[in-house]
């Protein structure tokens, strides 16, 4: 069981805004879903890698990229060729 | 031969988010063919929203690999189709741009999440469309709207330029009115792409064949049992009978790990989503941010206001499943369950060529019928196993219940997309 306090905590961790009205609804929906997930407690076996699959790596080398202008085009706020973001501190 | 296609669809089902009224096209195998593209696939110069208000107005500066391939074969990209927000839904009702209606009955949902693509094809607005399938998002709407939809083998089609929801599960695939068109569209989009590190160099070049003599078809008891509308099961069994008439052989089989498949699927897809959707902070795209606010405040506000409830619910579920103290109980167990499903399907497909059953346990729901998230999740039970195992699966129309379309689902071995297409083609030709 998760409580409304847990849901508020998870929402904060995920940077998701939820309204006070949503809090109770999300909590009861979460509990129904987690109750369904309980079936995973009964899963037997150990995690084993899929055969015939291997990691794919590439050299870390400089390659052509999109022009700065086209990358900035979608940003809501820019300044001097940079994207303007909220303050960190 | 190259030119411009004028496209002004009578879109009474709200299939499109963006329509390109003047769509340029070129030479090639799809010269001048109107193709609709699901709105989570990047199209240079054409708004790409993923069905979310947070990306309203976002115009990608590049094409997804599949779009490059479509354009290279001369296709006219005529618009971007409606979808559940970021692919999270089974009805297309979670879209930030209003629901899509089912052309077969406009009081019903088209299925989801590729509901706009399915409705556009079913309503005859375009002959073909691209969808994406994370847990059934091509096959479900194909079944509900009465068209053909194929989820290819994982890795056969590049995901470069597909806005990620759950990378380890999703594939781009064709949605068409005929199996031949699905085959042609798969041939166009299945080209190796080094920019997707999960892409395999296994191009599909195949002419569909109706010869199914000696084909062994497994009928899992789980696909015809509890939770499946018996009338849907009957229609599907009749369709499989047609394949038997053509010389295919059926055997009963079982996929016991199906009991855990849905829970495993939802833990894995929400976990991957919680990480993938962290990038949507409204800074590099989306509305201007209030730079005076602090980082977390600003993001919480933007994400709270622009993500719908289902997206926020799934991000939070994934955040929870991956959090300290719960990782072992949910995420790690889900990975074991996923591997068990894969092994079960491999075992069954070692003795049969194709697994067959209904695509969806019911016909299309009424609009607004599924209000509880868990009951909506449960309707994905017959489609998620193919995603967990990475195997190809097609839905082909096979009749109706109460006048509403039913889909026959055919699942094959990894990279046996050809065999899945052939079985669907044989059925389609015999039923015609």
């Amino acid at each position: 069981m998760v409580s409304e306090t847990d849901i508020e905590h998870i929402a904060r961790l995920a940077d998701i805004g939820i309204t006070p009205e949503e809090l109770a609804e999300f909590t009861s929906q979460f509990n129904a879903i987690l109750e369904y997930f309980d079936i995973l407690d009964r899963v037997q076996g150990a995690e084993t890698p899929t055969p015939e699959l291997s990691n794919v790596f590439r050299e870390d080398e400089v390659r052509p990229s999109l022009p700065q202008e086209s990358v900035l085009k979608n940003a809501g706020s820019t300044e001097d060729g940079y994207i303007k973001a909220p303050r960190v501190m | 031969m190259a030119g411009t296609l004028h496209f002004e669809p009578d879109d009474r089902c709200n299939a499109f988010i963006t329509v390109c009224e003047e769509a340029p096209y070129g030479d090639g195998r799809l010269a001048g063919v109107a193709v609709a593209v699901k709105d989570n696939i990047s199209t240079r110069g054409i708004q790409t929203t993923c069905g979310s208000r947070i990306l309203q107005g976002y115009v990608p500066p590049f094409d997804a690999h599949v779009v490059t391939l479509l354009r290279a074969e001369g296709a006219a990209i005529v618009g971007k189709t409606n979808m559940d927000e970021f692919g999270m839904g089974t009805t297309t009702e979670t879209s930030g741009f209003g629901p899509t209606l089912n052309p077969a009955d406009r009081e019903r949902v088209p299925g989801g999440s590729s509901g706009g693509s399915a409705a556009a094809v079913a309503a005859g607005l375009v002959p073909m469309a691209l969808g994406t399938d994370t847990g059934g998002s091509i096959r479900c709407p194909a079944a509900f709207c009465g068209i053909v939809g194929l989820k290819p083998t994982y890795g056969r089609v590049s995901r470069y330029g597909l806005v990620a929801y759950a990378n380890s599960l999703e594939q781009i695939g064709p949605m068409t009115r005929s199996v031949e068109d699905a085959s042609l569209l798969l041939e166009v989009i299945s080209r190796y792409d080094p920019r997707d590190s999960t892409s395999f160099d296994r191009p599909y070049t195949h002419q569909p064949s109706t010869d199914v003599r000696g084909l062994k078809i497994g009928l899992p008891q789980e696909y015809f049992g509890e939770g499946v509308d018996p009338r849907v099961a009957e229609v599907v069994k009749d369709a499989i009978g047609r394949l038997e008439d053509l010389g295919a052989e059926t055997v009963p089989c079982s996929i016991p790990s199906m009991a855990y498949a849905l829970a495993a699927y939802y833990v894995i897809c929400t976990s991957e989503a919680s990480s993938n959707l962290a990038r949507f902070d409204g800074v590099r795209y989306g509305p201007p941010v209030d730079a005076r606010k602090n980082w977390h405040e600003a993001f919480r506000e933007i994400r709270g206001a622009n993500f719908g409830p289902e997206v926020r619910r799934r991000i939070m579920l994934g955040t929870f499943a991956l959090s300290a103290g719960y990782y072992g109980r949910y995420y790690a167990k889900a990975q074991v369950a996923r591997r068990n499903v894969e092994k079960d399907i491999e075992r069954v497909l070692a003795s049969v060529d194709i697994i067959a059953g209904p695509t969806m346990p019911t016909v299309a729901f009424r609009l607004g019928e599924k209000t509880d998230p868990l009951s909506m999740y449960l309707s994905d039970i017959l489609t998620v196993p193919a995603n967990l195992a990475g195997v190809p699966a097609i839905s082909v129309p096979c009749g109706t219940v109460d006048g509403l379309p039913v889909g026959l689902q055919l699942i094959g071995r990894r990279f046996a997309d050809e065999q899945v297409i052939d079985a669907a083609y044989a059925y389609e030709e015999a039923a015609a």
Side-chain angles (χ1 to χ4, degrees), chain B residues 75-92:
Chain B
I77 311 288
V78 295
K80 304 298 295 291
T81 55
N82 200 9
M83 55 182 286
D84 280 298
E85 190 176 4
F86 286 100
M88 300 181 183
T90 311
T91 64
T92 313

PDB file of all heavy atoms in Angstrom, chain B residues 75-92:
ATOM      1  N   ALA B  75       7.177   8.520 -51.644  1.00  0.00           N
ATOM      2  CA  ALA B  75       5.916   8.693 -50.914  1.00  0.00           C
ATOM      3  C   ALA B  75       5.628  10.169 -50.621  1.00  0.00           C
ATOM      4  O   ALA B  75       6.552  10.956 -50.410  1.00  0.00           O
ATOM      5  CB  ALA B  75       5.967   7.920 -49.598  1.00  0.00           C
ATOM      6  N   ALA B  76       4.337  10.509 -50.605  1.00  0.00           N
ATOM      7  CA  ALA B  76       3.905  11.840 -50.194  1.00  0.00           C
ATOM      8  C   ALA B  76       3.476  11.745 -48.726  1.00  0.00           C
ATOM      9  O   ALA B  76       2.509  11.049 -48.406  1.00  0.00           O
ATOM     10  CB  ALA B  76       2.741  12.310 -51.055  1.00  0.00           C
ATOM     11  N   ILE B  77       4.211  12.423 -47.835  1.00  0.00           N
ATOM     12  CA  ILE B  77       3.853  12.424 -46.414  1.00  0.00           C
ATOM     13  C   ILE B  77       2.713  13.439 -46.263  1.00  0.00           C
ATOM     14  O   ILE B  77       2.950  14.646 -46.318  1.00  0.00           O
ATOM     15  CB  ILE B  77       5.044  12.838 -45.517  1.00  0.00           C
ATOM     16  CG1 ILE B  77       6.320  12.061 -45.867  1.00  0.00           C
ATOM     17  CG2 ILE B  77       4.685  12.720 -44.037  1.00  0.00           C
ATOM     18  CD1 ILE B  77       6.361  10.632 -45.472  1.00  0.00           C
ATOM     19  N   VAL B  78       1.492  12.928 -46.072  1.00  0.00           N
ATOM     20  CA  VAL B  78       0.332  13.832 -46.111  1.00  0.00           C
ATOM     21  C   VAL B  78      -0.146  14.283 -44.734  1.00  0.00           C
ATOM     22  O   VAL B  78      -1.049  15.107 -44.635  1.00  0.00           O
ATOM     23  CB  VAL B  78      -0.857  13.200 -46.866  1.00  0.00           C
ATOM     24  CG1 VAL B  78      -0.505  12.999 -48.331  1.00  0.00           C
ATOM     25  CG2 VAL B  78      -1.267  11.887 -46.205  1.00  0.00           C
ATOM     26  N   GLY B  79       0.465  13.753 -43.680  1.00  0.00           N
ATOM     27  CA  GLY B  79       0.040  14.244 -42.377  1.00  0.00           C
ATOM     28  C   GLY B  79       0.525  13.373 -41.242  1.00  0.00           C
ATOM     29  O   GLY B  79       1.092  12.297 -41.459  1.00  0.00           O
ATOM     30  N   LYS B  80       0.279  13.886 -40.040  1.00  0.00           N
ATOM     31  CA  LYS B  80       0.706  13.214 -38.825  1.00  0.00           C
ATOM     32  C   LYS B  80      -0.546  12.804 -38.044  1.00  0.00           C
ATOM     33  O   LYS B  80      -1.463  13.615 -37.856  1.00  0.00           O
ATOM     34  CB  LYS B  80       1.582  14.155 -37.976  1.00  0.00           C
ATOM     35  CG  LYS B  80       2.792  14.696 -38.724  1.00  0.00           C
ATOM     36  CD  LYS B  80       3.778  13.597 -39.189  1.00  0.00           C
ATOM     37  CE  LYS B  80       4.449  12.867 -38.056  1.00  0.00           C
ATOM     38  NZ  LYS B  80       5.396  13.688 -37.302  1.00  0.00           N
ATOM     39  N   THR B  81      -0.568  11.549 -37.627  1.00  0.00           N
ATOM     40  CA  THR B  81      -1.819  11.020 -37.086  1.00  0.00           C
ATOM     41  C   THR B  81      -1.895  11.063 -35.560  1.00  0.00           C
ATOM     42  O   THR B  81      -0.889  10.987 -34.853  1.00  0.00           O
ATOM     43  CB  THR B  81      -2.039   9.581 -37.568  1.00  0.00           C
ATOM     44  OG1 THR B  81      -0.899   8.803 -37.236  1.00  0.00           O
ATOM     45  CG2 THR B  81      -2.295   9.540 -39.059  1.00  0.00           C
ATOM     46  N   ASN B  82      -3.135  11.137 -35.112  1.00  0.00           N
ATOM     47  CA  ASN B  82      -3.440  11.234 -33.690  1.00  0.00           C
ATOM     48  C   ASN B  82      -3.055   9.944 -32.973  1.00  0.00           C
ATOM     49  O   ASN B  82      -3.007   8.853 -33.570  1.00  0.00           O
ATOM     50  CB  ASN B  82      -4.931  11.504 -33.513  1.00  0.00           C
ATOM     51  CG  ASN B  82      -5.265  12.096 -32.163  1.00  0.00           C
ATOM     52  OD1 ASN B  82      -4.380  12.474 -31.384  1.00  0.00           O
ATOM     53  ND2 ASN B  82      -6.562  12.162 -31.843  1.00  0.00           N
ATOM     54  N   MET B  83      -2.798  10.049 -31.697  1.00  0.00           N
ATOM     55  CA  MET B  83      -2.320   8.908 -30.911  1.00  0.00           C
ATOM     56  C   MET B  83      -2.541   9.177 -29.439  1.00  0.00           C
ATOM     57  O   MET B  83      -2.694  10.311 -29.021  1.00  0.00           O
ATOM     58  CB  MET B  83      -0.825   8.702 -31.167  1.00  0.00           C
ATOM     59  CG  MET B  83       0.025   9.953 -30.902  1.00  0.00           C
ATOM     60  SD  MET B  83       1.789   9.723 -31.263  1.00  0.00           S
ATOM     61  CE  MET B  83       2.295   8.707 -29.866  1.00  0.00           C
ATOM     62  N   ASP B  84      -2.562   8.094 -28.649  1.00  0.00           N
ATOM     63  CA  ASP B  84      -2.540   8.290 -27.203  1.00  0.00           C
ATOM     64  C   ASP B  84      -1.263   9.046 -26.870  1.00  0.00           C
ATOM     65  O   ASP B  84      -0.205   8.826 -27.481  1.00  0.00           O
ATOM     66  CB  ASP B  84      -2.537   6.934 -26.489  1.00  0.00           C
ATOM     67  CG  ASP B  84      -3.922   6.322 -26.421  1.00  0.00           C
ATOM     68  OD1 ASP B  84      -4.795   6.944 -25.801  1.00  0.00           O
ATOM     69  OD2 ASP B  84      -4.122   5.240 -26.986  1.00  0.00           O
ATOM     70  N   GLU B  85      -1.336   9.934 -25.891  1.00  0.00           N
ATOM     71  CA  GLU B  85      -0.192  10.780 -25.554  1.00  0.00           C
ATOM     72  C   GLU B  85       1.060   9.925 -25.314  1.00  0.00           C
ATOM     73  O   GLU B  85       1.058   9.037 -24.458  1.00  0.00           O
ATOM     74  CB  GLU B  85      -0.521  11.619 -24.306  1.00  0.00           C
ATOM     75  CG  GLU B  85       0.532  12.687 -24.043  1.00  0.00           C
ATOM     76  CD  GLU B  85       0.175  13.609 -22.865  1.00  0.00           C
ATOM     77  OE1 GLU B  85      -0.858  13.381 -22.195  1.00  0.00           O
ATOM     78  OE2 GLU B  85       0.945  14.556 -22.627  1.00  0.00           O
ATOM     79  N   PHE B  86       2.090  10.168 -26.119  1.00  0.00           N
ATOM     80  CA  PHE B  86       3.357   9.418 -26.066  1.00  0.00           C
ATOM     81  C   PHE B  86       3.159   7.903 -26.247  1.00  0.00           C
ATOM     82  O   PHE B  86       4.027   7.113 -25.898  1.00  0.00           O
ATOM     83  CB  PHE B  86       4.146   9.708 -24.779  1.00  0.00           C
ATOM     84  CG  PHE B  86       4.796  11.057 -24.792  1.00  0.00           C
ATOM     85  CD1 PHE B  86       4.222  12.124 -24.120  1.00  0.00           C
ATOM     86  CD2 PHE B  86       5.960  11.279 -25.508  1.00  0.00           C
ATOM     87  CE1 PHE B  86       4.800  13.396 -24.161  1.00  0.00           C
ATOM     88  CE2 PHE B  86       6.542  12.540 -25.561  1.00  0.00           C
ATOM     89  CZ  PHE B  86       5.975  13.599 -24.881  1.00  0.00           C
ATOM     90  N   GLY B  87       2.014   7.502 -26.774  1.00  0.00           N
ATOM     91  CA  GLY B  87       1.754   6.072 -27.003  1.00  0.00           C
ATOM     92  C   GLY B  87       1.167   5.366 -25.794  1.00  0.00           C
ATOM     93  O   GLY B  87       1.034   4.143 -25.799  1.00  0.00           O
ATOM     94  N   MET B  88       0.819   6.151 -24.772  1.00  0.00           N
ATOM     95  CA  MET B  88       0.372   5.543 -23.517  1.00  0.00           C
ATOM     96  C   MET B  88      -1.143   5.425 -23.456  1.00  0.00           C
ATOM     97  O   MET B  88      -1.828   6.277 -22.884  1.00  0.00           O
ATOM     98  CB  MET B  88       0.889   6.355 -22.342  1.00  0.00           C
ATOM     99  CG  MET B  88       2.405   6.409 -22.347  1.00  0.00           C
ATOM    100  SD  MET B  88       3.015   7.339 -20.949  1.00  0.00           S
ATOM    101  CE  MET B  88       4.761   7.299 -21.297  1.00  0.00           C
ATOM    102  N   GLY B  89      -1.648   4.335 -24.039  1.00  0.00           N
ATOM    103  CA  GLY B  89      -3.086   4.105 -23.999  1.00  0.00           C
ATOM    104  C   GLY B  89      -3.475   3.060 -25.020  1.00  0.00           C
ATOM    105  O   GLY B  89      -2.670   2.670 -25.868  1.00  0.00           O
ATOM    106  N   THR B  90      -4.714   2.604 -24.923  1.00  0.00           N
ATOM    107  CA  THR B  90      -5.220   1.537 -25.786  1.00  0.00           C
ATOM    108  C   THR B  90      -6.446   2.027 -26.545  1.00  0.00           C
ATOM    109  O   THR B  90      -7.169   1.247 -27.127  1.00  0.00           O
ATOM    110  CB  THR B  90      -5.558   0.309 -24.901  1.00  0.00           C
ATOM    111  OG1 THR B  90      -4.435   0.050 -24.056  1.00  0.00           O
ATOM    112  CG2 THR B  90      -5.808  -0.954 -25.700  1.00  0.00           C
ATOM    113  N   THR B  91      -6.710   3.339 -26.524  1.00  0.00           N
ATOM    114  CA  THR B  91      -7.954   3.858 -27.105  1.00  0.00           C
ATOM    115  C   THR B  91      -7.777   5.154 -27.912  1.00  0.00           C
ATOM    116  O   THR B  91      -8.722   5.586 -28.563  1.00  0.00           O
ATOM    117  CB  THR B  91      -8.978   4.159 -25.988  1.00  0.00           C
ATOM    118  OG1 THR B  91      -8.450   5.196 -25.158  1.00  0.00           O
ATOM    119  CG2 THR B  91      -9.268   2.936 -25.141  1.00  0.00           C
ATOM    120  N   THR B  92      -6.629   5.792 -27.859  1.00  0.00           N
ATOM    121  CA  THR B  92      -6.381   7.114 -28.449  1.00  0.00           C
ATOM    122  C   THR B  92      -7.159   8.219 -27.716  1.00  0.00           C
ATOM    123  O   THR B  92      -7.185   9.366 -28.153  1.00  0.00           O
ATOM    124  CB  THR B  92      -6.638   7.132 -29.984  1.00  0.00           C
ATOM    125  OG1 THR B  92      -5.980   5.983 -30.556  1.00  0.00           O
ATOM    126  CG2 THR B  92      -6.061   8.335 -30.700  1.00  0.00           C
TER     127      THR B  92
END
